[in-house]
Amino acid sequence: MTESVSASPALLEVIDLRACVADQEILCGVSLTVRAGEIHAVMGRNGSGKSTLSKVIAGHPSYTVTAGSICFNGVDVEEMSPEERSRAGLFLGFQYPVEIPGVSNLEFLRVATNARRQAQGLEELDTFSFEDHLQQRLELVQMDPSFLERSLNEGFSGGEKKRNEILQMALLEPVVAILDETDSGLDIDALRIVAEGVNQLAGSSNATLLITHYQRLLDAITPHYVHVMAHGRILRTGGPELAHELERRGYDWVDEEAGVSSRTSAEVSA
Amino acid sequence: MTAALLQRGSWLEGLLAAHPTAPENSRRQLQEQGLPQARQEDWRFTDLGPLLALDPAALQPRPGLESPLALFPDGDVVRLHLDDRGIGLQPTVGSAPLPEGLSLEPAQSLLTENALLPARLNGLMSGPCLQLSLAPAARVRLELWLAPAGADALLAPRLLLNLAEGAQLDLAVRLSCRGSSLALPWVEAHLAAGAGLNEAWLLQGDASDVLLGGCSVQQAQGSRYCRSSVVQGWALARQEPQVLQSQGAAHTQLRDLAITTAQAVHDLHSRVRFEGPEGTLDQLQKALVDESGHSIFNGSVQVPQLAQRTDAAQLSRHLLLSERAKVDTKPELEIVADDVRCTHGATVSSLADEELFYLRSRGIDRATGAELLRRGFCAEILRELPPLLAQEVA
C-alpha cells in the first residue's frame, strides 16, 4: 500500500516484501514508500512484524527475503551487507541495544562515524577531531560525557541506551532512520530528550520511520503518515489522526475492515 | 615400558646430561619423579609433545636483551633482566641507589620445596636465586624483562620475594622467547600482615617455544595478592600459580587471560588454599581460543574446616572461535567448612551474532566487528596490566 503523495524523491521503497526466519514467514507482502522530508509511523500489535520489517531493511542475516524488493535511494539493497547499507545512510535504532563489554563506547562511535564518513567521501576523523565533532552531538541528547568512557551500552539504563542510539544517529547523519520502539523503557524526561533529538535531526533531505506502540511518542514527533501493520502486512495507512483512533479503538476494527481475522499465531511468535 | 615412557625418560636424561652441574638433589628428585604422563589427573589434557620436541642438548642459556621500554613510565622503579648467562636475574644499572627499604641479594635457595614440575625443572638449572626483600611499609615497583637474544634458549629465572608488614610491591614482567626455547620462571613470595603484591605478567612465545612456570605465594592476615597474566603464542604454556592464605583474612585476586591460536596448548592449573577464616578470593580466567588452539583450566579452591566465612568466587570464560578449537575447563572446589560463600561458573561461547549485527549495522565490517568483540573479551584483563605492557599484546 503506497500512499505517499509528496513530489519529493522516494528514499525508501519497499515493494511486496516477503521474508521468513527459520522457515516461518513473518513478512507477507509489505509495501511502503518513504520520501524525503517525511516522518512515518508504523504501529501494530506485538508480533505483527514491525520489528522484523526494520531488521530486514537493515539486512539482519537471520532473515531471508523470499519475494519483493527494498530500494534505498534508488538502489536495490538485496545484495548489500548490513554494513554497506549503513554506510549508504540507512540507520536502525534498536529496540534493545546490545551491551558489549570491553568495547569502548567512544572507540565504537569513532569507528562507526569514520566508516560512514569514508563512504561519504569525507576525511576520517582522528581521536582529537572526533572528540570535537562529538561534543555538539552530545548536547543534542543531553548525554553525560562519562558514558563515552564506558563499555558500549554496558550497565546503561534503558533511557541511556536509547540516548546512545540517538547519539549514533546524530553522528552517522543517515538518509533514512528507522527507530524501532525508541520510546520503550523511557521516562517522561528521557522521551522528551529523545524526541527533541529526532525532531532536530529530521530535515528535508532525510526521512524517519518510527515503529511504536504509543501515541505519546507521536505527540512529541508528528508523523506525516501512520501505518497499521498486522499479519506481516500493512493493512491501513492514514494521517496522524489514525494513531489517535487506534488509541481510542484498538486494532480489531482495522482487521475487520481489512477482512482478516485478528491475532494469528504468527503475531505471538514473531 | 611404553614408547611414551621411554621417550619421556630419554628426554629427561638428555636434559640432565646437558646440565651436569645441576644440584645433585634436584637431579635425583627429577629422576625419581620423571615427567608426568596423561594418566595423571593433573596432566590428563596436557600434551607434553612440544616439550619432548625440544632438543635438550641444544637448549642453552642465552644472554638477555635489555628492555627497550619502561613498563612503569616514571618514578622509582627497579629493573631486572636476565644475567650474562641468561638464566638468573640481575639489576639493570641505573637503578642504584635502590629505593629505601629494598634489599636485593643472591639467595642459596627458595624457602619452600615444591614438587610441581615447573618448580622442579627450575630448580634443576644452576641459575642463582635472587632474593628481594621489602622493609615494613616500603613501596617499590619492579620490572623484569626476560627476553633471550636468540633461539634455542633455556631460561629459568628464580625470584624470592619477602614483603614485610605493610610493604607494597608492584611487579611487571615481560617474558618473550624466540623459537625452540624453554622458559621456566618461578616466583616464591611471602606476604606479611598488611603487605600487598600486584603482579602483571605478559608471557609471549614463538609457536615452537615451551613455558612451564608458576609461583608459590604465602599470604598472612590482612595481605593482598593480585595477579594478572596474559599468555600468547607458544607451543605449550602451562602455569601453576599456588596461593596459600596461611591465616585466612587475606584477599587474593587472580586474572588470567590466554590468547590461544594456531596449535598452542595453554594450560592454567591454579590452586588457592585457605588455612584460616574470612579469606576472600576473586578469580577470573579467560581464554580466546581460535584455529586449533587448546585451552585447559583447572581451578582448585580448598576450604578446610578452619576456613569458616571464606568468600570465594571463581569464573572461567572461554570464547571459542573455530570448530577445531578445544576447551577443557574444570573448577575444583573442595569445601569442608560449612559457613562459607563459594561460587564458580564456566561459560564457553562463540561470537554473539546479535553483537556482531549491531556493529555491522553501524557500518563496521564483519572482520573489524569481530576484532572489536575479540578485543572487548580480552579488555577486562588487559586493563589490569600497566598500559605499556598491555600495548605489547598483538
Side-chain angles (χ1 to χ4, degrees), chain A residues 76-212:
Chain A
D76 189 328
V77 298
E78 187 178 353
E79 298 299 322
M80 290 169 72
S81 64
E83 54 269 34
E84 287 169 335
R85 297 180 198 202
S86 169
R87 288 177 202 156
L90 196 54
F91 178 84
L92 171 61
F94 283 62
Q95 182 179 0
Y96 303 110
V98 295
E99 297 189 10
I100 308 186
V103 173
S104 145
N105 196 24
L106 183 63
E107 176 69 2
F108 159 73
L109 293 171
R110 193 174 72 82
V111 173
T113 302
N114 278 335
R116 171 83 171 119
R117 286 177 67 87
Q118 197 176 28
Q120 289 173 301
L122 299 171
E123 199 178 334
E124 284 194 27
L125 298 172
D126 62 26
T127 309
F128 298 112
S129 319
F130 178 68
E131 287 186 14
D132 293 340
H133 183 72
L134 183 59
Q135 195 54 43
Q136 48 188 299
R137 273 85 178 170
L138 275 177
E139 289 163 14
L140 181 76
V141 289
Q142 299 178 31
M143 193 163 152
D144 185 338
S146 68
F147 281 86
L148 300 171
E149 303 303 324
R150 291 165 58 173
S151 291
L152 178 53
N153 291 325
E154 190 185 30
F156 286 25
S157 70
E160 287 154 0
K161 283 179 182 169
K162 296 299 172 71
R163 284 191 213 195
N164 206 29
E165 293 292 288
I166 303 304
L167 175 62
Q168 291 165 43
M169 179 177 156
L171 286 165
L172 298 179
E173 299 173 355
V175 178
V176 171
I178 304 169
L179 303 177
D180 187 6
E181 298 198 29
T182 292
D183 52 333
S184 66
L186 295 186
D187 61 35
I188 296 166
D189 288 337
L191 179 69
R192 179 179 51 76
I193 292 164
V194 165
E196 280 174 7
V198 173
N199 281 329
Q200 284 191 47
L201 294 170
S204 58
S205 59
N206 59 27
T208 309
L209 183 61
L210 302 168
I211 291 172
T212 184

Side-chain angles (χ1 to χ4, degrees), chain A residues 213-229:
Chain A
H213 280 292
Y214 304 109
Q215 175 60 42
R216 63 175 194 167
L217 179 68
L218 305 184
D219 288 338
I221 307 171
T222 307
H224 298 93
Y225 299 96
V226 174
H227 310 274
V228 183
M229 206 166 166

Side-chain angles (χ1 to χ4, degrees), chain B residues 34-50:
Chain B
L35 292 180
Q37 300 165 55
R39 62 182 160 81
Q40 290 170 249
E41 179 61 25
D42 267 359
W43 290 85
R44 190 151 68 99
F45 300 114
T46 313
D47 177 13
L48 276 180

Side-chain angles (χ1 to χ4, degrees), chain B residues 93-339:
Chain B
V93 288
S95 59
L98 292 176
E100 202 172 329
L102 169 71
S103 69
L104 270 173
E105 56 196 346
Q108 284 304 309
S109 64
L110 297 173
L111 298 178
T112 55
E113 188 159 306
N114 199 304
L116 293 176
L117 180 69
R120 285 269 198 256
L121 285 172
N122 176 282
L124 182 75
M125 301 304 121
S126 51
C129 174
L130 186 69
Q131 179 172 240
L132 184 146
S133 301
L134 266 68
R139 299 182 72 83
V140 172
R141 294 188 295 173
L142 175 67
E143 291 180 4
L144 269 72
W145 190 267
L146 309 175
D152 297 312
L154 173 67
L155 64 159
R158 210 176 327 169
L159 191 62
L160 175 58
L161 305 173
N162 280 313
L163 276 64
E165 285 185 14
Q168 171 70 43
L169 176 65
D170 293 332
L171 171 65
V173 186
R174 166 82 191 273
L175 189 156
S176 61
C177 287
R178 301 183 154 215
S180 303
S181 298
L182 177 59
L184 304 163
W186 191 263
V187 175
E188 182 178 311
H190 297 264
L191 278 62
L197 171 58
N198 290 327
E199 278 184 5
W201 290 78
L202 175 58
L203 303 152
Q204 291 172 313
D206 181 85
S208 57
D209 292 325
V210 174
L211 167 81
L212 296 171
C215 64
S216 168
V217 179
Q218 284 197 29
Q219 291 186 251
Q221 222 166 36
S223 63
R224 279 181 71 84
Y225 171 59
C226 300
R227 163 199 161 90
S228 310
S229 88
V230 176
V231 60
Q232 185 177 33
W234 308 94
L236 166 64
R238 174 161 165 137
Q239 298 181 79
E240 301 197 44
Q242 292 191 315
V243 182
L244 173 67
Q245 289 197 11
S246 54
Q247 303 159 320
H251 179 67
T252 305
Q253 177 181 295
L254 304 177
R255 296 277 183 271
D256 291 280
L257 169 69
I259 301 170
T260 312
T261 56
Q263 313 267 328
V265 177
H266 290 165
D267 180 353
L268 180 74
H269 266 67
S270 66
R271 192 176 82 179
V272 180
R273 181 173 173 83
F274 297 89
E275 288 196 342
E278 296 176 357
T280 58
L281 166 68
D282 176 8
Q283 180 173 20
L284 173 64
Q285 177 265 343
K286 284 183 141 184
L288 186 150
V289 197
D290 203 353
E291 298 167 326
S292 297
H294 182 191
S295 169
I296 302 157
F297 171 63
N298 191 108
S300 165
V301 179
Q302 299 175 354
V303 188
Q305 182 66 31
L306 49 68
Q308 299 292 344
R309 297 177 299 286
T310 293
D311 187 346
Q314 180 190 81
L315 179 62
S316 165
R317 291 192 61 200
H318 282 88
L319 188 59
L320 208 55
L321 298 173
S322 142
E323 288 183 357
R324 289 169 289 137
K326 194 174 161 191
V327 170
D328 288 291
T329 180
K330 182 179 150 200
E332 197 177 293
L333 276 62
E334 300 170 42
I335 303 167
V336 179
D338 48 13
D339 179 15

Side-chain angles (χ1 to χ4, degrees), chain A residues 60-61 81-83 86-87 91-92 94 98-103 108 111-112 115 153 165 168 172, chain B residues 317 353-366 368 372-373 375-377 379-380 383:
Chain A
H60 195 297
S81 64
E83 54 269 34
S86 169
R87 288 177 202 156
F91 178 84
L92 171 61
F94 283 62
V98 295
E99 297 189 10
I100 308 186
V103 173
F108 159 73
V111 173
N153 291 325
E165 293 292 288
Q168 291 165 43
L172 298 179
Chain B
R317 291 192 61 200
D353 289 343
E354 288 306 313
E355 291 179 359
L356 203 48
F357 175 64
Y358 188 78
L359 298 176
R360 295 179 74 194
S361 76
R362 299 299 183 253
I364 298 168
D365 64 69
R366 189 183 177 83
T368 307
L372 273 176
L373 294 179
R375 277 170 38 196
F377 178 82
E380 192 175 5
R383 64 177 167 237

